[in-house]
Amino acid sequence: MTANLRFDPIRLPPECEMLRREVRAFIAAEVAAGTFDPNQPRYGDLHDRAFSRRVGARGWIGMTWPKKYGGHERSFLERYVVTEEFRVANAPVRLHFVADRQSGPILLKFAPEHVRMDILPRICRGELCFVIGMSEPGSGSDLFAAKTRATKTNGGWLINGSKIWTSNAHIADYMIGLFRTSPPTNENRRHGLTQFLVDMKTRGIKVNPIYQMTGEHDFNEVIFEDAFMPEDHVLGEIDGAWKQATSELAYERSGPERFLETLYVLIALVRALGPKPDLRSAEGLGRLVAQLHTLRRMSVSVSGMLQAGEEPVVEGSIVKDLGTVWERRLPARVRELAAFLEPETTNRASLEEQLAFATMIAPKLTIQGGTTEVLRGIIARGLGLR
Ligand SMILES: Cc1cc2nc3c(=O)[nH]c(=O)nc-3n(C[C@H](O)[C@H](O)[C@H](O)COP(=O)(O)OP(=O)(O)OC[C@H]3O[C@@H](n4cnc5c(N)ncnc54)[C@H](O)[C@@H]3O)c2cc1C
């Protein structure tokens, strides 16, 4: 086994607890004002432009970024608390979440200064929705097989091809897209891809909806036909995106959103079981809470590593694998524990409704952001097993 794998036992510092109280008070005020219902899981999948702006005004977007770009120079652990509270409350953060989590950090590292100065403050104000343009038909797990081409033209590049499963493309202002600028080489099959900042209003970009099993419209197909990208929208090294896209995944994979997406069914179960659950249910609940606690400690640990400037790709993959498998199985486990509840139990109807929704979305949890099998391949390599 490699000596590089580790989960430091990090505890959230006291300033995080103060921040948590502030976030909870903000959420309570939003709920009281009717912005969203924390007991309605669908809200977690919705966007709300006005809400995102209010979150931005509180300084909770771009928290870790330099003040020069509208950021707040706070820690990854403080950002963790905000993400966690919004997720648990099913708050409608969809508009700004991807920009805050991963697109902003990419721009900070790889965009030209004038682009950073233009876009990052707008992300921090909660004004911009970013999307991830990686997957293509025939290139999901194997990102380096991407075929959508960027061809050099006067003053920039022309994009032709398509992306698929692009979450939020129908509401997006920008995409960070991965496009082929050269063929792969014999020595390096990952060579030849470049990341671009894509303005979604560009002529030649068409967004077609793809509907989920729940009937909702979350993701899309995005078609590019001679869509022009200016030179200053190239992010980082031409042909060298393989070095950049993998560090992005550490941000994408380890946060609390990777094990809390179906948490509402556990909360609904606790409410339905009441203060005196039977022994079997209490044992089952205890087991689930212990697992959740362990996942959270691991996820906080990865956040601590990001704070220390490290790139915990393997540790992030472990959190995502364990976390998403846990949150995917949770609805079935909760259904088992709820099996002996009396039909007239208080809160039973709400539990059933939430279970129905969680059961429908559960299959996607271990696919989005990298499948279980692919993550286990990365983990095995990190452990020196393959
Ligand atoms: C809800 C949702 C939202 C998404 N949002 C986005 C988004 O915003 N932007 C974006 O770019 N993509 C997005 N995706 C796409 C997602 O990243 C891909 O679906 C995922 O990476 C898998 O790719 P695929 O669907 O092409 O499946 P494939 O790669 O074809 O995989 C099919 C099966 O083969 C297995 N497999 C593949 N390769 C290997 C291997 N090397 N070893 C072992 N098993 C393997 C997989 O685990 C899987 O079970 C989203 C997906 C979902 C479900």
Side-chain angles (χ1 to χ4, degrees):
M1 282 227 293
T2 172
N4 292 331
L5 180 70
R6 60 166 221 270
F7 284 94
D8 295 338
I10 288 174
R11 296 226 173 248
L12 295 174
E15 63 267 23
C16 284
E17 286 319 306
M18 202 144 72
L19 175 62
R20 191 185 298 286
R21 283 198 291 276
E22 282 171 39
V23 180
R24 284 189 180 171
F26 172 83
I27 290 172
E30 290 287 335
V31 170
T35 309
F36 65 97
D37 174 357
N39 299 315
Q40 178 50 264
R42 267 164 221 267
Y43 278 108
D45 270 345
L46 294 179
H47 73 282
D48 178 336
R49 285 195 180 268
F51 177 76
S52 285
R53 280 173 197 250
R54 290 197 290 278
V55 175
R58 293 301 299 255
W60 294 334
I61 305 177
M63 288 178 75
T64 61
W65 308 349
K67 289 190 175 157
K68 174 180 173 193
Y69 302 116
H72 302 279
E73 299 183 7
R74 299 183 80 162
S75 70
F76 276 90
L77 296 174
E78 288 173 295
R79 180 182 177 274
Y80 192 94
V81 167
V82 173
T83 311
E84 184 172 56
E85 290 298 326
F86 281 152
R87 182 78 257 174
V88 170
N90 291 316
V93 295
R94 197 166 244 263
L95 184 104
H96 66 262
F97 190 72
V98 166
D100 177 50
R101 180 179 67 185
Q102 66 195 84
S103 317
I106 295 179
L107 296 176
L108 268 174
K109 272 197 193 154
F110 302 114
E113 179 64 3
H114 68 279
V115 173
R116 287 195 286 225
M117 288 304 280
D118 171 31
I119 291 187
L120 293 170
R122 290 195 279 148
I123 294 181
C124 294
R125 291 199 296 268
E127 292 170 7
L128 295 182
C129 176
F130 267 72
V131 294
I132 306 164
M134 290 194 183
S135 305
E136 295 181 14
S139 160
S141 301
D142 185 10
L143 284 179
F144 302 107
K147 288 196 180 68
T148 297
R149 286 185 329 277
T151 319
K152 197 79 195 74
T153 185
N154 261 347
W157 301 77
L158 287 178
I159 313 294
N160 281 285
S162 64
K163 294 285 170 186
I164 199 163
W165 318 126
T166 320
S167 301
N168 307 325
H170 55 301
I171 57 163
D173 301 287
Y174 290 97
M175 166 192 283
I176 297 215
L178 185 68
F179 303 123
R180 182 154 296 287
T181 37
S182 302
T185 59
N186 286 340
E187 299 72 49
N188 184 2
R189 66 175 291 275
R190 299 187 295 173
H191 171 89
L193 294 168
T194 304
Q195 277 184 309
F196 286 78
L197 171 66
V198 177
D199 183 339
M200 294 296 284
K201 288 188 291 300
T202 307
R203 196 176 328 138
I205 298 180
K206 193 167 170 233
V207 177
N208 298 321
I210 303 174
Y211 289 91
Q212 298 274 15
M213 194 153 58
T214 54
E216 281 158 339
H217 173 199
D218 301 330
F219 53 25
N220 306 272
E221 173 192 52
V222 183
I223 310 282
F224 298 85
E225 280 176 3
D226 279 340
F228 176 77
M229 302 294 128
E231 196 62 62
D232 62 0
H233 280 202
V234 171
L235 299 174
E237 197 182 319
I238 290 173
D239 293 337
W242 59 278
K243 297 176 205 158
Q244 299 165 204
T246 43
S247 70
E248 180 182 346
L249 297 176
Y251 291 99
E252 189 183 341
R253 289 183 168 160
S254 56
E257 70 277 15
R258 293 304 186 190
F259 52 91
L260 294 178
E261 197 159 335
T262 53
L263 185 76
Y264 48 83
V265 293
L266 186 58
I267 296 172
L269 176 69
V270 171
R271 287 196 182 122
L273 288 173
K276 288 194 180 131
D278 62 278
L279 194 59
R280 175 182 170 278
S281 306
E283 189 274 341
L285 265 183
R287 209 173 268 277
L288 288 170
V289 171
Q291 290 161 354
L292 177 62
H293 181 72
T294 310
L295 282 169
R296 181 169 182 269
R297 291 292 301 272
M298 293 171 80
S299 168
V300 169
S301 172
V302 173
S303 230
M305 289 186 245
L306 291 173
Q307 175 65 29
E310 296 166 31
E311 282 183 6
V313 173
V314 176
E315 290 84 349
S317 301
I318 292 174
V319 172
K320 182 175 183 292
D321 177 27
L322 292 173
T324 54
V325 167
W326 186 83
E327 65 181 1
R328 194 195 67 199
R329 288 184 183 152
L330 186 60
R333 188 70 194 110
V334 164
R335 195 177 288 287
E336 282 167 12
L337 292 174
F340 297 105
L341 283 173
E342 299 298 332
E344 65 278 6
T345 306
T346 321
N347 297 322
R348 169 108 202 211
S350 149
L351 171 64
E352 287 298 336
E353 196 187 312
Q354 302 202 4
L355 271 176
F357 186 73
T359 304
M360 267 198 288
I361 63 124
K364 74 165 185 170
L365 298 170
T366 51
I367 300 174
Q368 60 190 10
T371 66
T372 302
E373 291 77 9
V374 166
L375 290 166
R376 289 181 186 174
I378 295 170
I379 296 163
R381 245 196 319 277
L383 294 173
L385 300 173
R386 69 189 274 241

